[in-house]
Amino acid sequence: MVLNFRFAIVSDLHIALPHTIWDHPNRFHLVEVSIPAFESVLEHLTQLDLDFLLLPGDLTQHGEPENHAWLQAKLAQLPFPVYVVPGNHDVPVLMANEQSIAFADFPHYYRKCGYEDPQQPYYNCELLPGVRLIGLNSNSFNDQGEQVGRLDHKQLRWLEAELAVTGDELVLVMVHHNVVEHLPNQSDHPMANRYMLENAPQLLELLQKYEVKLVFTGHLHVQDVACSQGVYDITTGSLVSYPHPYRVLEFQRDDLGKERLQIVSHRVESVHNFPNLQHSSRQWMGDRSFPFLIKLLTSPPLSLSLAQAKKLAPSLRDFWATIADGDAVLDYPDFPLEVRRYIQAYGAIDSATLIDNNSTLLLEKSSEP
Ligand SMILES: [Fe+2]
Ligand SMILES: [Fe+2]
């Protein structure tokens, strides 16, 4: 079946109405821009002939009912369908508290955004004839009531049953936590593993078995495209942190069955009070990056002394912003060789792999057994 459709992705909106914003000086997210940035993105997207829009979680800053209600009302006005999944910020607690909705309330806000059955926090819906979207819930709670990023067994069993009957339909998957590593050793690094789905290997195995090739994630606030054995994890940076990106994608399957996905990324350049958002946001991130850099440099595998870390950290002021940008090239020739190599590994592997922002992925069909 020949296919040709166009869609957009906006991730980690962290919507915060002004009176819901807390004031604390080390906040990494520029939530002040959440609403004007989203409105400027919508102004652009409504001019395009989109088939649908995907929002892969962290729709709100802290799961506040009024922020969910604001977003839900906004999405209802759009000329194209929108699909969402919950991020850790959307359902921070199992039971409602004075700040946040209950976990079970989430689908009720987004019944028109995938959750036709609000009793179930994940769904499988038809986007277009021959094209399906599976929206997964990666937010679980352990016995202590703490949030963990994993898919429960019931959901994995449900997913396998759904995939087993999709036939030759194209299946897209959306989930908040990362499924393929976007940073070196992401699954094991104590500062990065919380961005991975804990049971990513089980999900990947299922996706490979049923030849699902495209997964859309968020959570990391980084522009990155990574691939593991034929499964692409396309993670989109956050609308409230540098570089305030969003993507427009076009999928094509020709009459020979050849499939390609073209990705074009855009950025919010300016909003009210932030006329040069790209510049001021990069500065904001650099201003707050020192504690993070000290922790990274003093943690294994580098395990530098505090004195060494303090010496190198100022040169790495833009390290995280450069990674968040996607297609990073990181080289610090004056650094000790071991540190230089370690930092380089956070960048794109070589110039042929600059696929994080703008690229065309050729989706190979795995050979018949
Ligand atoms: Fe986020
Ligand atoms: Fe998140």
Side-chain angles (χ1 to χ4, degrees):
M1 181 180 189
V2 172
L3 292 171
N4 191 349
F5 57 90
R6 187 193 280 180
F7 62 106
I9 305 174
V10 188
S11 195
D12 293 75
L13 283 64
H14 290 260
I15 291 295
L17 287 158
H19 67 277
T20 67
I21 297 176
W22 308 344
D23 227 7
H24 60 100
N26 295 324
R27 182 158 39 76
F28 224 63
H29 304 156
L30 201 53
V31 291
E32 291 83 350
V33 306
S34 60
I35 289 179
F38 189 48
E39 284 179 332
S40 97
V41 170
L42 292 178
E43 213 177 290
H44 178 201
L45 296 183
T46 48
Q47 290 166 28
L48 307 177
D49 188 20
L50 290 184
D51 290 293
F52 54 91
L53 167 64
L54 302 180
L55 308 180
D58 281 358
L59 311 173
T60 60
Q61 178 61 349
H62 286 295
E64 303 86 346
E66 56 223 302
N67 290 334
H68 278 300
W70 181 92
L71 181 63
Q72 177 270 122
K74 190 85 189 165
L75 301 180
Q77 299 164 7
L78 296 177
F80 38 74
V82 186
Y83 299 91
V84 306
V85 289
N88 52 313
H89 278 253
D90 299 316
V91 288
V93 285
L94 190 54
M95 306 308 287
N97 61 17
E98 61 292 339
Q99 186 179 36
S100 312
I101 63 165
F103 171 76
D105 293 342
F106 182 85
H108 291 272
Y109 282 90
Y110 300 101
R111 293 182 74 144
K112 293 198 176 74
C113 300
Y115 296 94
E116 257 175 49
D117 171 9
Q119 303 306 318
Q120 191 176 271
Y122 38 86
Y123 58 86
N124 174 0
C125 67
E126 184 178 68
L127 293 169
L128 301 161
V131 187
R132 303 200 74 85
L133 173 68
I134 293 187
L136 297 175
N137 165 48
S138 53
N139 304 284
S140 298
F141 294 88
N142 64 18
D143 293 343
Q144 287 75 49
E146 297 156 347
Q147 242 184 357
V148 282
R150 60 180 293 124
L151 306 176
D152 61 29
H153 294 300
K154 190 178 167 201
Q155 186 175 188
L156 279 169
R157 279 198 305 274
W158 169 87
L159 175 63
E160 171 134 38
E162 297 290 316
L163 291 176
V165 297
T166 48
D168 63 354
E169 286 177 298
L170 172 72
V171 177
L172 310 179
V173 169
M174 176 164 65
V175 60
H176 186 58
H177 291 70
N178 298 161
V179 179
V180 178
E181 289 188 339
H182 295 282
L183 300 173
N185 198 28
Q186 190 181 342
S187 307
D188 295 316
H189 195 286
M191 291 170 74
N193 59 6
R194 68 193 165 105
Y195 298 101
M196 288 295 294
L197 194 66
E198 266 184 24
N199 48 353
Q202 277 128 290
L203 175 58
L204 261 181
E205 200 180 306
L206 267 185
L207 300 178
Q208 281 154 357
K209 180 174 171 188
Y210 291 98
E211 299 197 357
V212 175
K213 299 190 190 79
L214 295 172
V215 181
F216 303 103
T217 68
H219 193 38
L220 188 60
H221 293 208
V222 161
Q223 286 284 90
D224 196 75
V225 176
C227 186
S228 173
Q229 295 172 54
V231 179
Y232 281 96
D233 179 333
I234 296 162
T235 198
T236 300
S238 168
L239 207 55
V240 296
S241 53
Y242 179 81
H244 307 273
Y246 58 103
R247 302 185 190 270
V248 176
L249 306 93
E250 192 159 337
F251 181 94
Q252 288 176 319
R253 183 196 284 161
D254 68 16
D255 49 4
L256 298 171
K258 282 207 171 118
E259 296 177 341
R260 59 172 60 208
L261 181 71
Q262 187 197 60
I263 305 171
V264 176
S265 296
H266 301 269
R267 291 154 177 228
V268 179
E269 300 290 342
S270 148
V271 293
H272 184 60
N273 287 340
F274 295 87
N276 191 347
L277 181 62
Q278 292 295 313
H279 176 76
S280 49
S281 184
R282 199 175 167 96
Q283 291 297 110
W284 162 287
M285 192 173 266
D287 290 346
R288 282 159 183 73
S289 66
F290 201 69
F292 155 82
L293 292 166
I294 295 295
K295 201 170 164 194
L296 182 73
L297 295 170
T298 56
S299 296
L302 287 178
S303 307
L304 300 185
S305 70
L306 185 59
Q308 281 175 299
K310 280 186 170 168
K311 203 173 134 211
L312 299 180
S315 313
L316 289 166
R317 186 191 147 82
D318 286 334
F319 172 71
W320 190 251
T322 306
I323 290 172
D325 242 342
D327 302 315
V329 177
L330 294 155
D331 196 12
Y332 296 85
D334 299 335
F335 278 14
L337 190 59
E338 188 198 5
V339 185
R340 183 181 174 189
R341 289 216 173 110
Y342 179 74
I343 297 292
Q344 267 172 347
Y346 279 81
I349 302 155
D350 57 56
S351 58
T353 62
L354 299 182
I355 57 171
D356 296 335
N357 284 292
N358 300 300
S359 51
T360 299
L361 308 178
L362 303 175
L363 307 170
E364 301 294 335
K365 271 245 177 291
S366 55
S367 50
E368 294 295 322

